[in-house]
Amino acid sequence: YIIRVHALYLMYCKVFNNQAKDSTGGFYSSHTRLNCVVKSVIYNNTGVYGGLRFIQGKYMVIHKCIFYKNKATSYGGAIRILKIDKIHILRNLIIGNEASIAGGIICTTLKSVVIMNCYLCKNVAQYLGGGIYISNFVYTNSSVMVLESIFTGETAEQEGDDILVKNVWKFYLYNIA
């Protein structure tokens, strides 16, 4: 799916068994001011980017979703986020996803990231960031908060099995297991 709208609400959806040779396996949205993905299941999607990919927007919420066995040949097995000002990833299950970089979640060029009450299990990155990879090269006041989340069995061959954070202004890690 490729969508360009002012506001996107993806609720109670199943996105599964899709394949893309040169794009996102599951769901892709670009230049959307508000993105909300709620109580959806994204599984067994394969592409250059895995389950979900969002590019350029103001605000995003991913809440109470399941990401399972998505595969990316490049970035973000489950979720790939690029150039979104603020994102909240809350109460999600992210299990068994694979990618070259960031088996679970990759967020780049963002102002604010909050990941809270998520469960990440057995996500695999061939190179960097098995569970989460966050990198920011643009904003001087960027902040990342990873709160009350559980990581188990995340692997990355080079660096950052659970979480890999680079080039952010502020990084908060609280009550992680």
Side-chain angles (χ1 to χ4, degrees):
Y1 302 96
I2 298 174
I3 294 184
R4 284 186 174 207
V5 294
H6 182 70
L8 169 70
Y9 297 90
L10 185 67
M11 303 173 82
Y12 301 100
C13 293
K14 287 185 180 177
V15 179
F16 62 97
N17 296 335
N18 296 292
Q19 293 186 356
K21 290 184 181 181
D22 58 357
S23 188
T24 305
F27 189 88
Y28 168 55
S29 175
S30 176
H31 297 83
T32 305
R33 286 184 61 80
L34 172 64
N35 296 286
C36 294
V37 181
V38 179
K39 294 185 179 179
S40 295
V41 179
I42 294 88
Y43 67 95
N44 202 35
N45 298 290
T46 303
V48 175
Y49 311 101
L52 290 179
R53 180 170 62 138
F54 290 90
I55 297 175
Q56 292 185 322
K58 284 289 185 189
Y59 183 69
M60 177 167 201
V61 174
I62 300 174
H63 185 247
K64 290 187 177 180
C65 294
I66 298 171
F67 296 88
Y68 181 66
K69 287 195 174 183
N70 297 289
K71 292 182 182 178
T73 57
S74 65
Y75 301 100
I79 302 168
R80 166 79 163 119
I81 309 291
L82 174 67
K83 296 182 182 177
I84 303 258
D85 288 350
K86 293 181 182 181
I87 180 163
H88 291 97
I89 300 172
L90 311 167
R91 302 184 73 191
N92 296 285
L93 299 174
I94 302 166
I95 302 169
N97 300 284
E98 299 176 20
S100 292
I101 296 175
I105 302 168
I106 184 166
C107 298
T108 56
T109 320
L110 306 171
K111 289 182 182 176
S112 172
V113 178
V114 176
I115 298 171
M116 185 171 176
N117 291 326
C118 289
Y119 177 73
L120 289 92
C121 178
K122 296 184 181 178
N123 297 293
V124 177
Q126 191 175 18
Y127 301 108
L128 304 170
I132 298 171
Y133 177 70
I134 297 173
S135 179
N136 187 333
F137 297 101
V138 177
Y139 303 108
T140 56
N141 287 329
S142 61
S143 68
V144 175
M145 297 171 52
V146 181
L147 311 167
E148 300 178 358
S149 295
I150 297 172
F151 296 83
T152 180
E154 313 300 315
T155 57
E157 288 184 22
Q158 288 184 4
E159 187 178 9
D161 286 341
D162 294 332
I163 304 170
L164 180 60
V165 178
K166 292 185 174 184
N167 301 310
V168 297
W169 189 258
K170 299 175 196 168
F171 176 60
Y172 304 95
L173 192 62
Y174 176 75
N175 202 17
I176 302 299

